[in-house]
Amino acid sequence: MSDVVEKTLSALPSLLSLDSQAGAGKLSPSSKLGNLIKGITELTSKHEEETLIKKELESIKEQVASPNTTMRQMKEIMVRAIYCEMLGYQASFSYIHAIKLAQQGSVLEKRVGYLAVSLFLNETDEFLLLLVNTVLKDLQSTNLIEVCMALTVVSQMFPKDMIPAILPVVEEKLTHPKEIIRRKAVLALYKFYLIAPNQVQHIHSKFRKALCDKDPGVMTASLHIYLQLIKENPESYKDLTGSMVTILRQVVGGKLPLDFNYHSVPAPWLQIQLLRILAYLGKEDQGTSEMMYDVLEESLRRAEMNHNITYAILFECVKTIYTVHPKSQLLEKAAECIGNFVLSPKINLKYLGLKALTYVVQQDANLALPHQMTIIECLDHSDVIIKRETLELLFRITNAQNVTVIVEKMLEFLRLTCDDYSTIDLVGKVAELAEKYSPDNVWFIQTMNSVFSLGGDVMQPDIPNNFLRLLAEGVDNVEDRQLRLFAVDSYVSLLQGETAKLPQRFLQVISWVLGEYSYLREEESDPGSVMRLLARLLDQRHTSTETRSWVLGAMTKLCSSPVSVALARDVCERYSGSLNTVLRQKAQELMILSQDTKLRARVLPAEGRLESPEVDSSLSFLDGYVSDALAAGAAPYKSPHQRQEDLVQEKALSLEPYGLSLPVSLSSCSITDRRSPTLLSMSSGLSGNSTELSHQEGSTTLKLEGVKRVWGKDGYLAQQQSAGETPTPLVELPSPLLSPQSPPSQKPSSGLEPDQEKRQLASSLFVGLGSHNSVCLMGRAETAPRHFRRKPRGESSSGASEGSSDSSHSSRSAAVDNLLHSNLLDSTTVASEGGAATTTTPQQTSQRTLDHTTSNGNPHVEGTEQRVEAGGPLSLIRGNGMVAVVPPTHTQTDPQTQQDLHPAPALERPRDLPLTSHLPAELSGLARSEFTPLCSDQDSSLALSACRVYKEDALVLLVFISNNNDSALHQMVLQLTCKELEISCISGSPLKEVKGHSVSVCLHTVVMKRASVQVELAGLLSYQRPLGQPQAAQFSLSLSLKHFLRPLTVSTGDYGKMWLSFSHDLKQNLRLVTTEHQEPLTATLDALKGKLHLHVVDIIGSEGIVACRLLQGPGQGQPCLLHCRVHADSLAVWLRSPVPELPDSLLYHCQKALTET
Amino acid sequence: MIKAILIFNNHGKPRLIRFYEYFAEDVQQQIIRETFHLVSKRDDNVCNFLEGGSLIGGSDYKLIYRHYATLYFVFCVDSSESELGILDLIQVFVETLDKCFENVCELDLIFHMDKVHFILQEVVMGGMVLETNMNEIVGQVELQNRMEKSEGGFSAAPARAVSAVKNINLPEMPRNINIGDINIKVPSLSPF
């Protein structure tokens, strides 16, 4: 304090003098900023601040424009501009001057220029292009500070397209003698990896070098990269485990210089980073995990000092121990550690302890038991964050027995909170728990009522949707009736009270339920009562228009009695003149349906409302009308989106010179294709996609049938299944725990005597955990969220008996099946590992012979060649057998002979034989991949395999479902999902069942929506065995860009035209392939052609041009052109395409293809 | 990754704003306001972590903050950062500021915004933690300062001039006594 006073005193004279001089206009540059700040702080209102800053910006503008402003003054001006920008006022006029300052200033001025640039601009700003040369120059500067500045600005933001320009220079910096430069260069490269991973593909070896750098700082920096890489793909970096463990051991053992200590802990941040990497490496991998047990134990042991940062290490260590393959000894220690966190009086540690507990109870719910009392205390903690974290923890340990208490606690929190984020989050959790574990109808409806009234209009829309689906689904038995009736009753009593406070969403739910199920209570009360309540709702001012239309919809369903009809007429009169078209339509519907009882009975039958009506969403019945209109000269329909696009295109400036207009139109022809009227008839075929579209439209316009369809069976299947993936079986671990029956013996060591109330709460919260928990935990894992468990006990017991019957059932045939199947599996792995040509079956061969009778008489070898050539538009790959199956070189149909001829592939036959025979005839002549096994269930009674067939216009994905069991599979639904792909099913009728010991095939055409290097396709097959529960098999399949590439046959002339018209390009040097008897260029291009389905247009001297297209829906494709030139001993490739992502991804595959050869 | 570093005072006036991910200008201001709103209503005896702003990155996003006298230092990070690690990083940053400015206070941050940015650049680069060793950071900054002095006598002068300016009569600042209040207290790693 004393030196502050001193400071003030010493400043006093100058302060006075400054004040006196202020009016004289004699201001130093720095006091201009001072004046500005002083001015701002004197202000009292936001408005005044605005005026002042505007004035300031004006003066800055004037000064930067003046030619007399020196760079030094400019530097000061920039600081002021930064200040204004920080306060949220745009100073865009100064951006260009900031760049100028970075370009022209001396080192110090440059530094401010760079700073301003990095604060003002973003990666996509065109101004940045002006900076590229400056950055390049500074990177090559001999002044260390300039190099550092350039690296900093590059890592902050750099245009993606310009990375190749500076990449070599940054790479060079990795070998710079100064460690600070190396360190910054590593981080800059990491940044490049984040924004354009493909472009730094080739320097991974240099990352390794950085990891082994003699300076620990550089090594630390490189860990950023490895953390990211290992997170994305742990498999490829398993070999690094040893090094990481060694590094961590050295760090923990204090082998680093003392400089790296922080509060006498050796390099704590480095330790944290390493522990995270180890967690990724050891996850679900016993071998790798075993390598790190020792060092983890050592870290736990060493990190015992009482400082924040050691807790940070401990926390990370605990997380790692629980992520890697479990080792009981370590788990015990980690659990102890978590206990210390939770019990800590320090609030940050408590928070982390709760977080750690939340993480570990997913593996072992018992771990929460020793901390019951602490958890209870945390529930009443003054800090909301702690409270919320506690609820999160409770959410994870909820079971059928403690659900009421936990949900009550959550609702309590919800009533107090006013923060949208926690409301949305918690409301969703309560709804989920209520649906999963609800003990009875009354509780369920009451809980959902609280959810709706508390969640209000911010909650996720699927909560009310799921709730209504749950009500609507299910057989019409007594119990369902009771549930519905109870809902109706509770809503009627709600509506009789004050409705002004109920959220609109809740009112909508209420009106739907009343509309559907009021008839259940109709007998006991007067018929018009519900109708009157709804009418009252309509009259209220706070009711929104959307809710009103729901209410009108409900009234339409209800107006059966004379009283109601009279009421309906009143309502109609009022709303048929409404300005809102939706309301007017609803009113009209109500009017007509209330008067015509017969029509009403047909449109809205009281029973069977659940069946979703068949809707021809593609409007195919209009096709005739449309084609007539088109013939009469009408313009084809364009979707609003397309119209918007057109508008934009018309308005946009043409940047191409006039001479090139022809190629421009050439390139755009693929776009116009998409708009052609053929789309209409196309979409009527592909009803899968268009239904979804109309679902969305339906929900916004609130048409009656739209409302119904929202809860239709098909619409929610997907959701239910995706939610079904989450439950993971809980592993019970041996841990020294007390049983929940004796909570008093587990007092926390905090010394606080918990009162009786808390103990009771504890016992009700933690009931169901502990020694007896295995049953109910298993039950929980099994529960699919869709099943509303109203009778938890009864159901779990039946589930158990079902399970046992299931197992006995499978054991019958297991012996034989297993033997057979394991054999099969072995052979497929051989097949896929070998990757060589697989054999085709006799049937297939004969099929082909039939197809191509012309080639029948030819000698075998030639015949095959010709067949492939003669495939014409269908067969795609001409004379190259890339991943495709090489057709057999003979046409004999005797399998015996075939086996004699090919002794080696005989192994594969047992598996392939049945599958190839299931290839549809029309696809069997085409090139295809080998069969990939996708998954099989535990007893190998069901096996899935996939195969890709390369059609000219699409990739056809075949999924083979082999049922190796006696019993048939029923209710089969196969779903393939991937957001990057457009998948449509092409099998004639969706398959429903597979008989015992047979194989079914599902065909899907797949095209890429946007070019990407590799996509992951997720699949889910749900099915049911007779006498069994519904089961599901999950699998995933990765598809790479090269599967979607097809050759593009163009002439050299056309190539030239297209080349000029494409705007996105990329250049890169690739490795040349050298062989003995070919030119390097030819050999390289052949390799690319073979691996990636490219078309080599022409080779002239040392240059070659290549073209391909990416499948994108029927009749469409995105071209990509490659121009290759041999340059020294590398191949300079220049890619161009109309789509931005394609060159990037294609280049990646080219690189890969060439490194593989 | 660190997504943003925000420093503002008890009234929500921004003192240093650094985003490592692109957000439009108006969104940035909104983030600052929302963050201030979230942080300012919390007592000093609650935990230093906050979840649940909706603006940056949704659920994979945490606020880790420290409150020093008149200033809030807020780091917005995603789940790949260690909470306690960042908390100590803030401490390192503030201690470094204290060393560089000799008893740092809010006015230092206002008048030397550029310098604070340069110091920060040595700690965090492009959203990644670059250096956690205070001596190293100070060393780097001093290296640059030396260059500054050698480049021109004039540019060294403002440092002194400003130390005078920073005691200009600002209405926000309690006038006579409590000037100490504006100082960022650097507790020697007090328990939190």
Side-chain angles (χ1 to χ4, degrees), chain B residues 49-76:
Chain B
F49 315 118
L50 260 177
E51 277 171 73
S54 43
L55 284 166
I56 311 179
S59 57
D60 181 31
Y61 146 69
K62 261 171 291 187
L63 295 176
I64 296 163
Y65 74 97
R66 269 179 187 269
H67 188 197
Y68 295 95
T70 60
L71 288 176
Y72 285 99
F73 285 71
V74 186
F75 279 44
C76 308

Side-chain angles (χ1 to χ4, degrees), chain A residues 405-480:
Chain A
V405 192
I406 288 179
V407 164
E408 189 40 52
K409 284 282 159 198
M410 287 180 163
L411 291 176
E412 220 168 78
F413 180 85
L414 269 173
R415 283 184 197 109
L416 293 175
T417 187
C418 50
D419 150 35
D420 276 0
Y421 175 84
S422 11
T423 311
I424 296 171
D425 184 52
L426 262 181
V427 155
K429 283 181 176 146
V430 173
E432 192 187 327
L433 291 180
E435 209 173 297
K436 257 195 208 168
Y437 303 116
S438 160
D440 57 63
N441 287 338
V442 179
W443 183 86
F444 178 68
I445 296 292
Q446 274 168 354
T447 307
M448 287 314 282
N449 284 356
S450 319
V451 165
F452 290 135
S453 31
L454 290 169
D457 295 318
V458 293
M459 68 183 160
Q460 300 286 344
D462 58 333
I463 296 174
N465 288 353
N466 280 348
F467 172 70
L468 294 181
R469 176 179 51 79
L470 202 137
L471 273 187
E473 266 175 8
V475 277
D476 216 13
N477 58 17
V478 182
E479 215 169 320
D480 280 329

Side-chain angles (χ1 to χ4, degrees), chain A residues 1055 1079 1081-1082 1085 1096-1106 1122-1127 1131-1132 1134:
Chain A
Y1055 182 98
E1079 285 281 303
L1081 179 62
T1082 329
L1085 292 187
V1096 180
V1097 182
D1098 210 348
I1099 298 182
I1100 310 159
S1102 64
E1103 294 180 43
I1105 51 176
V1106 182
L1122 290 86
H1123 177 267
C1124 315
R1125 196 158 58 88
V1126 179
H1127 185 72
L1131 184 73
W1134 191 355

Side-chain angles (χ1 to χ4, degrees), chain A residues 959-1019:
Chain A
V959 180
F960 295 88
I961 303 160
S962 332
N963 182 6
N964 300 322
N965 207 328
D966 291 329
S967 55
L969 299 172
H970 295 289
Q971 296 183 6
M972 308 255 299
V973 182
L974 177 69
Q975 283 188 331
L976 300 177
T977 42
C978 177
K979 62 177 190 295
E980 292 99 343
L981 297 178
E982 200 174 302
I983 305 164
S984 46
C985 182
I986 50 170
S987 8
S989 60
L991 88 165
K992 279 267 154 51
E993 58 170 71
V994 182
K995 294 201 180 67
H997 296 292
S998 69
V999 179
S1000 277
V1001 196
C1002 289
L1003 278 80
H1004 293 85
T1005 47
V1006 186
V1007 290
M1008 267 193 174
K1009 284 186 205 156
R1010 291 179 61 193
S1012 49
V1013 174
Q1014 190 159 21
V1015 296
E1016 207 63 34
L1017 180 84

